[in-house]
Amino acid sequence: MVIPEDVLTATQARFEAREVPRAGTEEKIAAAQTPQGSILDVDAPERVELRSRRVLRQPVVMDALKATADTSPVQPGQVREDQVLGDLVLERIIGGSNLLGIAFLELGTAVSRTVGRVIVRDRFQVRSFGTGFMISPRLALTNNHVLPDAQSARFSRLEFNFQNGISGLPLATSQFDLEPDTFFRTDTGLDVTVVAVAAQSRPDGTSPPVPLAGFGFNRTTKEQGKILLGESINIIQHPEGQEKQLALQQNELLDRFDQFLHYHTDTSPGSSGSPLFNNQWEVLGLHHSGVPARNEAGEILTVDGTVWDRTQDELKIRWIANEGVRISSILTWLEKGADGMNEGERALLGEALNPPPPALPQVPAAEQRAKVRTQPAPHQPATVEGGAVSLTIPLHITVRLGAVQAAQGVAQTSADPSHAVPGTGSAVAEEAVAIDPDYSGRKGYDPGFLGTAVPLPVLTAGQRADAAMNRGAAAGQDPAVLNYHHFSLVMQRTRRLALYTAVNVDGQLSQSPKRERDKWYFDPRLDRSEQTGDELYTDNDFDRGHLVRRLDPAWGPADVARAANDDTFHFTNCSPQHKKFNQGASLWAGLEDYLLDTAKAEGLRLTVFTGPVFTARDPDFQGTPIPLAFWKIPVFGRPDGSHSASAYMISQHELVEEILREAFTPATFQVPIRRVSELTGLDFAHLFDWDPMNDQFTPLPKAQEALATPTPARELHTFEDLQL
């Protein structure tokens, strides 16, 4: 999610206008970090008093004070021991992490469930990513520049649990549709959007919908005293749309003014819309922008001192500070807009402004005595603005991890707990991928699948000589072709990667087997020296990129669909793809979704050919030449007996050139099928007449051919005018 220029400009102006008070604050913060200093000396005394009252209402602090409180009478002029202890406890909680114990981590874990990845989509594909979080049972908060209008939210989603579990493996995610027709409010000045979220997750065909209520929400307030200048800010975020991450205990509040906060932090692009928390996990504000370093000409600078431009990633920018919108300002803005809302909208808003009380956890009878002993003594609730009453309720979290049995013949791995939903009991572990051991029963790609013959591409003499031969090929079978359930492929021996894959897709019979643990297998029909294994993908930015996507061959009876899904986890079916290429918000992923969704929606059959472009100039990485471009050719069979075919290419060369460079977002191009034949040597002549771009083909100059350049071609920005 690229921060718009007008947002950056406005942030820069506010940052420059606050230079004098910010400099004074930074001097005080530096003094507070000396042995004689105190963080309580940075902010104004009245702010410290507000903060003290708020912190001392927290249960963990009350327990610490109660444990050693002296209840003896206090004589005039005396200072009671528990008062001194209170000052020390407050100093430690605000000024350091000495009392950030297990309760801090448990509460942070619970709060993190309310934060999700915003998947910004149009009707056909993913456009970008941001972060959002729940501020009521049904309303989510993010930035205006993430979701600028109701139309942008209409096809977008909020995804929870996009993160790795304790074993390092991905958790099962849940995607929820956004419902702007139910509630949508946005403001460009504050850069804020509030939108309703569906009450249940989107069905995935393998399990019942998940209730939104299971992920909880944050109770927000306009009360003052949530943070002091110099205190730490914690940020839960999806940087660049990646797995959920936490910026913890190293970010200082530099300035608090009007409607905004300025602070140091290591947020990244895609963190737009992230919640800002204090050490008691109360919402402070909404992250939305940064302040970039600029030269005298006003140009934005990169981390290495060069001039940045918008062809580069925002991670290349040298950021001076970041800016967030104060939650009190957001709540005030929402209150002012209530008069123009209908009854349903006002009811949803009321749940955010006056949230229902949290449900108290059920405590087993055996634990009641211990629970009572550790409860804080009753104390007078604090009265806040508007006559509302704020009560802090302790949170108790229990995590139970059960043993996981390995599938027969599959190495046992530790399991991630699935996301917890109230009332569901302990977590259920996923089964591991289990490969069908009978390779002789795999029929592979069916050339007559579409009702008209669509044969495999013809290899050149050189490609056939370099093909890895199937040791178990039956009589009459082409030994260069490896058959799997519903797909086939040809391996190039010297590259140890697939030359191409071919898969049959049945939209009417398509299934969505539960995503399994990503365990990959060597194909026993080839020597291991002819296959690229895990050694290439360890401790770097390369993913095991599926060539045949796991869902494409997953159709037919449940056992067949699962076997075909599992077959895609052979090393023969993966190719090294940079993580941003494989996972990023590119049209390539949207194209794959679109093709499968179209086949399902129209009940069509589809054949898809996919592969890399191999050239002599491919860069070497750990002894393996890395392909810089990939192609895909979908062929549809229509109910009227007609057929259509088209070709698409995408390059990763700027990502691979410098493996740690992340300044490039891939683009997908539609090209004539003849172009794929030209660049790969594979003969697809039988498809040329079905290609609407066939008459636009012109041979490439040799220099472009050597670099696997997809142009001249049509860069895809939408699928609405896709030429199929």
Side-chain angles (χ1 to χ4, degrees):
M1 173 56 64
V2 178
I3 302 174
E5 184 64 38
D6 59 334
V7 175
L8 284 176
T9 301
T11 302
Q12 182 92 34
R14 287 189 289 266
F15 187 76
E16 293 175 352
R18 298 288 300 177
E19 181 177 0
V20 173
R22 185 175 62 254
T25 298
E26 289 180 323
E27 289 182 5
K28 292 179 180 179
I29 292 174
Q33 294 171 347
T34 65
Q36 297 78 27
S38 169
I39 195 68
L40 303 183
D41 296 333
V42 176
D43 217 332
E46 59 271 22
R47 287 282 184 179
V48 175
E49 176 65 20
L50 286 171
R51 182 76 175 118
S52 300
R53 292 178 182 176
R54 191 168 190 85
V55 169
L56 290 174
R57 291 206 304 267
Q58 302 297 322
V60 65
V61 182
M62 294 295 296
D63 287 347
L65 291 174
K66 278 173 53 57
T68 54
D70 181 1
T71 57
S72 60
V74 179
Q75 300 300 321
Q78 284 186 322
V79 178
R80 222 167 62 185
E81 183 179 353
D82 60 314
Q83 290 178 312
V84 176
L85 177 64
D87 292 339
L88 292 175
V89 169
L90 184 62
E91 171 73 30
R92 288 181 179 182
I93 288 178
I94 294 179
S97 59
N98 292 5
L99 292 183
L100 297 182
I102 297 302
F104 173 81
L105 298 176
E106 289 183 334
L107 185 55
T109 300
V111 167
S112 73
R113 291 176 48 74
T114 70
V115 182
R117 180 172 72 155
V118 179
I119 304 175
V120 184
R121 298 174 54 96
D122 59 21
R123 182 179 177 185
F124 300 105
Q125 73 263 345
V126 174
R127 288 298 190 181
S128 59
F129 295 105
T131 304
F133 61 102
M134 301 302 298
I135 58 170
S136 83
R138 286 289 307 282
L139 298 183
L141 176 62
T142 189
N143 293 136
N144 168 270
H145 77 260
V146 174
L147 297 173
D149 49 46
Q151 185 61 25
S152 65
R154 201 169 308 281
F155 300 101
S156 298
R157 303 168 187 169
L158 186 59
E159 181 179 40
F160 293 103
N161 271 1
F162 184 65
Q163 63 194 74
N164 293 329
I166 57 175
S167 69
L169 298 173
L171 298 182
T173 62
S174 298
Q175 291 188 11
F176 293 79
D177 290 329
L178 302 184
E179 298 183 342
D181 294 334
T182 301
F183 190 100
F184 186 87
R185 289 294 184 276
T186 193
D187 185 86
T188 55
L190 286 178
D191 193 18
V192 168
T193 288
V194 179
V195 62
V197 183
Q200 291 187 322
S201 64
R202 293 177 60 87
D204 60 9
T206 62
S207 57
V210 173
L212 177 65
F215 294 93
F217 64 96
N218 297 278
R219 289 165 174 79
T220 56
T221 177
K222 293 194 297 182
E223 255 194 294
Q224 301 299 302
K226 292 188 286 292
I227 193 169
L228 294 177
L229 295 174
E231 264 196 274
S232 296
I233 293 177
N234 305 308
I235 305 181
I236 301 174
Q237 56 190 300
H238 284 279
E240 297 186 282
Q242 297 174 11
E243 292 87 350
K244 189 184 297 178
Q245 299 174 29
L246 173 63
L248 180 68
Q249 287 297 291
Q250 55 187 350
N251 317 308
E252 295 173 341
L253 179 64
L254 299 177
D255 200 5
R256 176 189 55 238
F257 63 100
D258 300 335
Q259 299 171 317
F260 299 96
L261 303 169
H262 285 160
Y263 46 92
H264 288 308
T265 188
D266 53 359
T267 53
S268 303
S271 298
S272 296
S274 302
L276 312 178
F277 295 102
N278 63 13
N279 279 346
Q280 289 72 50
W281 296 106
E282 297 176 295
V283 176
L284 305 172
L286 172 72
H287 174 72
H288 87 119
S289 183
V291 181
R294 297 178 186 263
N295 60 19
E296 293 182 356
E299 298 169 311
I300 296 175
L301 298 177
T302 67
V303 290
D304 58 8
T306 59
V307 175
W308 177 86
D309 62 68
R310 287 192 172 266
T311 65
Q312 297 176 293
D313 196 287
E314 289 176 358
L315 283 180
K316 300 290 286 185
I317 296 176
R318 179 160 65 90
W319 297 100
I320 299 173
N322 280 330
E323 184 178 78
V325 188
R326 298 174 67 175
I327 192 63
S328 55
S329 300
I330 296 172
L331 296 177
T332 299
W333 163 71
L334 283 171
E335 286 177 336
K336 290 180 179 179
D339 291 341
M341 298 180 187
N342 60 40
E343 183 176 347
E345 290 172 327
R346 283 196 295 272
L348 288 175
L349 178 61
E351 291 182 331
L353 299 178
N354 302 288
L360 291 173
Q362 297 297 316
V363 182
E367 298 180 17
Q368 289 290 343
R369 179 177 299 179
K371 191 69 175 178
V372 170
R373 187 180 69 243
T374 58
Q375 286 283 358
H379 58 283
Q380 185 69 24
T383 303
V384 297
E385 295 178 2
V389 175
S390 174
L391 293 175
T392 303
I393 299 175
L395 176 67
H396 177 76
I397 301 175
T398 301
V399 179
R400 295 181 179 89
L401 299 178
V404 181
Q405 297 297 323
Q408 184 176 1
V410 180
Q412 183 169 347
T413 57
S414 57
D416 288 311
S418 63
H419 53 263
V421 178
T424 61
S426 60
V428 178
E430 298 181 17
E431 298 176 1
V433 170
I435 298 297
D436 178 2
D438 181 13
Y439 285 85
S440 65
R442 289 164 163 82
K443 303 302 182 183
Y445 172 78
D446 178 4
F449 185 70
L450 300 183
T452 298
V454 182
L456 296 174
V458 179
L459 305 179
T460 66
Q463 288 169 337
R464 180 163 291 278
D466 194 21
M469 295 299 171
N470 177 3
R471 293 182 304 213
Q477 178 185 343
D478 186 346
V481 177
L482 292 170
N483 287 333
Y484 299 92
H485 292 296
H486 297 157
F487 71 95
S488 299
L489 59 84
V490 170
M491 289 289 290
Q492 186 161 330
R493 188 173 63 253
T494 55
R495 296 294 293 254
R496 299 189 303 144
L497 298 171
L499 181 63
Y500 74 83
T501 63
V503 60
N504 301 127
V505 183
D506 192 319
Q508 283 189 320
L509 302 179
S510 180
Q511 298 198 32
S512 300
K514 183 179 179 182
R515 175 170 181 154
E516 309 296 359
R517 197 163 289 109
D518 290 358
K519 179 174 176 59
W520 290 78
Y521 292 81
F522 288 101
D523 191 317
R525 295 171 292 181
L526 301 180
D527 290 335
R528 288 203 175 187
S529 62
E530 298 173 331
Q531 306 172 64
T532 299
D534 271 329
E535 69 277 2
L536 177 63
Y537 304 99
T538 303
D539 298 328
N540 57 58
D541 286 337
F542 282 121
D543 280 352
R544 303 165 189 81
H546 277 80
L547 294 177
V548 172
R549 192 170 60 153
R550 71 177 191 90
L551 292 179
D552 283 354
W555 52 268
D559 57 338
V560 176
R562 176 171 292 280
N565 174 88
D566 291 350
D567 261 3
T568 65
F569 287 91
H570 280 87
F571 282 116
T572 52
N573 184 48
C574 72
S575 195
Q577 295 178 346
H578 191 282
K579 64 180 182 181
K580 290 190 70 178
F581 177 100
N582 190 39
Q583 304 172 11
S586 72
L587 289 177
W588 189 255
L591 173 64
E592 291 184 322
D593 288 339
Y594 176 74
L595 294 175
L596 184 57
D597 290 347
T598 299
K600 287 181 177 180
E602 301 183 25
L604 300 178
R605 286 190 163 192
L606 169 68
T607 282
V608 182
F609 299 96
T610 305
V613 177
F614 293 143
T615 76
R617 297 181 59 180
D618 287 344
D620 184 275
F621 182 76
Q622 297 182 359
T624 300
I626 305 299
L628 299 182
F630 293 83
W631 54 269
K632 187 180 294 292
I633 299 177
V635 185
F636 276 98
R638 303 290 179 182
D640 61 3
S642 65
H643 297 80
S644 63
S646 49
Y648 307 90
M649 292 193 67
I650 183 170
S651 170
Q652 64 171 357
H653 84 271
E654 290 195 39
L655 294 171
V656 174
E657 256 179 8
E658 300 176 45
I659 192 64
L660 297 181
R661 176 180 170 187
E662 300 189 2
F664 175 73
T665 300
T668 304
F669 295 86
Q670 183 168 358
V671 301
I673 295 176
R674 287 178 182 267
R675 178 77 70 236
V676 175
S677 288
E678 176 188 43
L679 294 175
T680 65
L682 297 170
D683 187 351
F684 285 105
H686 53 288
L687 301 178
F688 292 169
D689 290 341
W690 294 345
D691 181 9
M693 293 189 69
N694 189 42
D695 58 356
Q696 301 177 34
F697 172 77
T698 54
L700 285 175
K702 289 298 181 183
Q704 285 184 300
E705 185 175 346
L707 292 173
T709 307
T711 53
R714 297 173 59 250
E715 182 175 356
L716 297 181
H717 298 288
T718 177
F719 293 124
E720 290 179 342
D721 60 346
L722 195 66
Q723 297 180 11
L724 289 175

